[in-house]
Amino acid sequence: MSDEAAIESSFLNRLSELAKVNDPIDPELYIKHDVKRGLRNANGTGVLVGLTRIGDVVGYEMRNGEKIAIPGRLIYRGYDVADLVKDAEANNMFGFEQCVYLLLFGKLPTKAELEEFTSFLGERRILPEHFTEDMIMKAPSSDIMNKLARGVLASYSYDDNPEDRSITNILRQCIELISRFSTIVAYGYQAKRRYYDGKSMYIHNPLPTLSTAENFLRLTRSDKQYSDLEAKVLDLAMILHAEHGGGNNSSLTVHVVSSADTDTYSAIAAGVGSLKGRRHGGANIRVMQMMSEIKANVHDWSNESEVADYLRKIVRKEAFDKTGLIYGLGHAVYTISDPRCVLLRDKAAVLAKEKNMEEEFNLYRTIERIGPEILYEKIGDRKLICANVDFYSGFVYSMLNIPCELFTPLFAISRIAGWSAHRIEEIVAGGRIYRPAYKNVSAERAFVPLSER
């Protein structure tokens, strides 16, 4: 480190100590002032801050003021997501595009409407002229989510009408972003491979006749090849991640920023920034890291007792990251079951058989089954705990040979559908800027002139 860098580092360290000393707040004050930390009520339910017609996350019912756990359901515009998945499978089609149509327009499309909309999406996957060279290749990023956020904001400059707040124009902007997200992510990944990993970069053109899932696999693989099962599994994961109610952090972010009457690109980029957070979009990466350690330290994956012993070490904070968490188990709303997990797990079983990874899949199933009991032993509470979608999504992506740096961007490629629907809903039905209260808990002080300090 140079002398100049050392001086700067020392200065910043001193400033950071000042910042840390100045900001802590006594936890008791949150109780005293009845603050809903994390916008959560004391019973674990979310603080009601808005109304939506877009989606619902169902994990419990309130009966006489008490939460009663029920099997989880995920609802898109009044329809159970499980029925959307069954419909796609019954018609041997890719269902994400139908899901996007439903979320945006509130109705299931006819065959003709779906074909027209899918074609409209497909024709817009190619990025604007010079966008790839100037916005992606000339400024590569080591993190694809940052590259995606930059790509969203840069899209403003390529839009001839970026500030028009009419629903027609906002819808046009959202559809273009939904279509282009997979291309921006894939090209951002290729640039990262070239400039940060020292590997070859492959820039393939998206094909308008392919689904979002097919195009993503085509653009991220050097040979552009994929099986129908691989694409259908990825399509399923995208359906399951497209929407999760208005209260999840990134969708709420889109609502809040949209309520300020800003442009579409600023609102969606804010959603990307939220999703990048490790407490939101990166959970499946933590699952994969945890599973790698388990696989390395448990010699017989089929031995339930040996697996349980290592899980106890994790819970006792003696192994993995010493947090005591079994990642992928537990959810803020779902308790008996996460419907996304159930649907993805069933498809993961099929893919694992094709990829000769059934032994690893069975390890996941064992941990899903015994993990809650291990947690009960530690916390002494029989609060219902189930595996969430993150428990299996990373495993599924790994079987698809998708690198972990693309896990969260894939989440964004899916969730842009929900974000777009929530932005439009906020513009149409909101009409008021979000302005919650923060209680100031510092005392007023007499000002001290500079000469007396």
Side-chain angles (χ1 to χ4, degrees):
M1 181 184 293
S2 66
D3 291 343
E4 183 177 338
I7 292 172
E8 178 180 324
S9 177
S10 176
F11 178 65
L12 289 174
N13 285 336
R14 284 190 285 115
L15 291 181
S16 68
E17 289 303 317
L18 283 174
K20 286 188 291 185
V21 168
N22 197 46
D23 283 342
I25 295 175
D26 185 347
E28 291 298 319
L29 291 175
Y30 289 99
I31 300 173
K32 175 182 177 181
H33 296 290
D34 191 28
V35 177
K36 312 296 185 182
R37 301 189 72 178
L39 289 180
R40 308 295 298 177
N41 293 310
N43 64 359
T45 60
V47 174
L48 188 61
V49 298
L51 303 174
T52 184
R53 293 181 178 273
I54 296 168
D56 196 11
V57 181
V58 182
Y60 58 83
E61 295 176 349
M62 297 300 296
R63 300 175 191 168
N64 299 319
E66 183 180 357
K67 280 176 60 177
I68 305 299
I70 61 174
R73 291 186 300 131
L74 178 57
I75 309 298
Y76 292 174
R77 294 287 191 178
Y79 298 101
D80 194 313
V81 73
D83 292 327
L84 289 169
V85 172
K86 290 177 184 176
D87 184 60
E89 292 178 344
N91 289 282
N92 192 31
M93 70 179 193
F94 292 95
F96 178 67
E97 286 69 28
Q98 174 173 257
C99 180
V100 173
Y101 187 100
L102 172 63
L103 291 172
L104 289 179
F105 308 116
K107 64 183 288 289
L108 292 169
T110 64
K111 184 177 180 180
E113 288 171 336
L114 181 57
E115 289 176 352
E116 181 182 36
F117 181 68
T118 300
S119 177
F120 193 79
L121 277 176
E123 291 167 359
R124 283 153 182 77
R125 295 198 197 283
I126 295 178
L127 303 182
E129 188 175 6
H130 304 307
F131 189 102
T132 301
E133 296 84 349
D134 294 341
M135 295 295 115
I136 298 178
M137 299 304 168
K138 288 184 178 179
S141 173
S142 61
D143 190 288
I144 311 304
M145 288 297 283
N146 284 82
K147 173 52 60 181
L148 177 59
R150 185 174 188 270
V152 173
L153 290 172
S155 297
Y156 182 102
S157 301
Y158 291 79
D159 188 336
D160 293 333
N161 193 20
E163 289 288 347
D164 183 354
R165 303 291 200 278
S166 69
I167 296 303
T168 300
N169 194 56
I170 290 174
L171 181 62
R172 187 265 306 170
Q173 292 170 329
C174 287
I175 289 175
E176 288 181 353
L177 287 174
I178 292 169
S179 180
R180 292 171 180 168
F181 256 41
S182 58
T183 308
I184 295 173
V185 166
Y187 288 177
Y189 167 66
Q190 296 294 350
K192 188 257 183 186
R193 278 174 54 90
R194 167 66 178 83
Y195 293 101
Y196 286 89
D197 301 339
K199 299 178 181 179
S200 297
M201 179 173 64
Y202 302 93
I203 301 297
H204 308 309
N205 289 328
L207 298 182
T209 56
L210 298 181
S211 67
T212 305
E214 290 173 299
N215 263 304
F216 183 78
L217 293 176
R218 168 186 166 83
L219 296 182
T220 53
R221 294 182 172 181
S222 59
D223 60 2
K224 300 180 284 189
Q225 301 301 306
Y226 53 87
S227 70
D228 183 67
L229 176 60
E230 288 179 319
K232 291 286 175 55
V233 171
L234 182 57
D235 180 71
L236 167 64
M238 295 179 68
I239 293 172
L240 300 177
H241 285 90
E243 160 64 4
H244 211 238
N248 70 82
N249 195 276
S250 56
S251 293
L252 176 61
T253 296
V254 171
H255 270 285
V256 171
V257 178
S258 293
S259 79
D261 195 28
T262 191
D263 67 277
T264 296
Y265 303 106
S266 294
I268 298 301
V272 173
S274 166
L275 190 66
K276 184 198 173 186
R278 289 180 292 182
R279 292 177 180 168
H280 190 5
N284 54 12
I285 296 176
R286 299 299 285 165
V287 173
M288 293 299 291
Q289 293 169 339
M290 177 189 74
M291 291 301 295
S292 292
E293 178 158 317
I294 291 173
K295 287 185 289 185
N297 288 278
V298 174
H299 301 294
D300 184 358
W301 299 352
S302 65
N303 187 323
E304 186 173 306
S305 177
E306 188 178 353
V307 174
D309 286 342
Y310 201 78
L311 289 179
R312 289 188 180 94
K313 289 183 179 180
I314 291 177
V315 171
R316 291 196 301 263
K317 301 182 181 180
E318 298 171 0
F320 189 44
D321 62 358
K322 313 297 175 62
T323 63
L325 300 175
I326 300 179
Y327 291 95
L329 298 187
H331 190 268
V333 179
Y334 303 126
T335 51
I336 293 178
S337 62
D338 180 341
R340 304 166 302 169
C341 176
V342 174
L343 290 164
L344 196 59
R345 180 186 65 207
D346 292 345
K347 191 62 71 173
V350 178
L351 189 62
K353 186 174 183 179
E354 182 183 89
K355 300 287 186 178
N356 295 317
M357 297 182 70
E358 290 177 284
E359 184 180 4
E360 188 169 345
F361 174 74
N362 290 333
L363 174 61
Y364 275 82
R365 291 289 284 130
T366 297
I367 294 173
E368 179 187 5
R369 187 177 68 257
I370 69 175
E373 290 294 332
I374 304 298
L375 290 170
Y376 296 151
E377 292 174 7
K378 175 64 177 178
I379 62 180
D381 185 353
R382 300 296 297 184
K383 175 185 176 182
L384 293 172
I385 299 172
C386 67
N388 60 54
V389 69
D390 294 311
F391 189 70
Y392 283 101
S393 61
F395 177 52
V396 166
Y397 296 153
S398 69
M399 288 193 289
L400 294 174
N401 293 317
I402 295 172
C404 65
E405 59 257 52
L406 286 174
F407 288 4
T408 309
L410 260 175
F411 196 157
I413 292 170
S414 308
R415 189 55 62 84
I416 175 63
W419 291 340
S420 296
H422 282 287
R423 170 161 172 77
I424 293 171
E425 184 177 64
E426 183 62 43
I427 300 300
V428 172
R432 297 186 65 180
I433 188 169
Y434 278 72
R435 181 60 174 87
Y438 262 68
K439 174 71 175 178
N440 178 44
V441 292
S442 65
E444 289 195 25
R445 296 180 288 179
F447 185 77
V448 180
L450 180 61
S451 60
E452 299 177 17
R453 296 175 214 162

